[in-house]
Amino acid sequence: MQELLDALGIKAPVVVAGLSGGILRALSRHRYKVREMVASPICGALAAAYLTLPVVHYFRATGLPIPSPDDDTTTLAAAFLIGVSAMWISDIVFEVVVRRFKPGKEE
C-alpha cells in the first residue's frame, strides 16, 4: 500500500492524520449513521491527502509564522485539521443531498 501511495505522490502519515480527524469528528456525533462512520472519514482522508501540502506551502508563502513545512508535525497537524474540516463539509453536502432526494410526505 505504501508503494501505491508513494506512486500517487501521497504521504501515508498525512492520510492517516486526515482519517483520524475524520474519525474523531464521526465519533463526536450523538447518532451514528453509515455516511458518518464510513463516507465522511474517507472524505477527510482524501481531502488531507491532496490539500495538506498545498495549504502548508500557501501559508508559508503568505508569510505566516508557521514552522518549516519540512517538519512533519506541521504537516500532520494541518492534515488533521483538513480532515476534520472535510468531515464538516461532507456532512453538510450529504445532508443536502439526502433532503433533496428524500421522498416527501403525501398529503
Side-chain angles (χ1 to χ4, degrees):
M1 187 66 161
Q2 180 74 28
E3 292 83 23
L4 175 66
L5 292 175
D6 287 340
L8 294 173
I10 300 171
K11 292 183 176 182
V14 170
V15 173
V16 171
L19 185 67
S20 298
I23 290 172
L24 178 68
R25 167 71 178 96
L27 291 176
S28 69
R29 301 291 292 209
H30 294 289
R31 293 177 293 131
Y32 297 117
K33 297 178 183 174
V34 173
R35 72 172 187 246
E36 292 166 351
M37 295 306 295
V38 177
S40 294
I42 291 172
C43 290
L46 289 174
Y50 288 106
L51 295 176
T52 299
L53 294 179
V55 166
V56 169
H57 288 293
Y58 173 77
F59 284 148
R60 189 82 171 142
T62 58
L64 291 174
I66 63 170
S68 172
D70 299 332
D71 182 19
D72 283 343
T73 307
T74 303
T75 305
L76 296 178
F80 182 82
L81 292 175
I82 288 172
V84 171
S85 300
M87 283 279 301
W88 282 98
I89 293 168
S90 67
D91 284 349
I92 292 168
V93 169
F94 288 140
E95 192 64 34
V96 167
V97 168
V98 166
R99 287 184 182 181
R100 172 96 170 119
F101 295 109
K102 186 177 182 178
K105 292 182 181 178
E106 306 228 355
E107 296 180 22

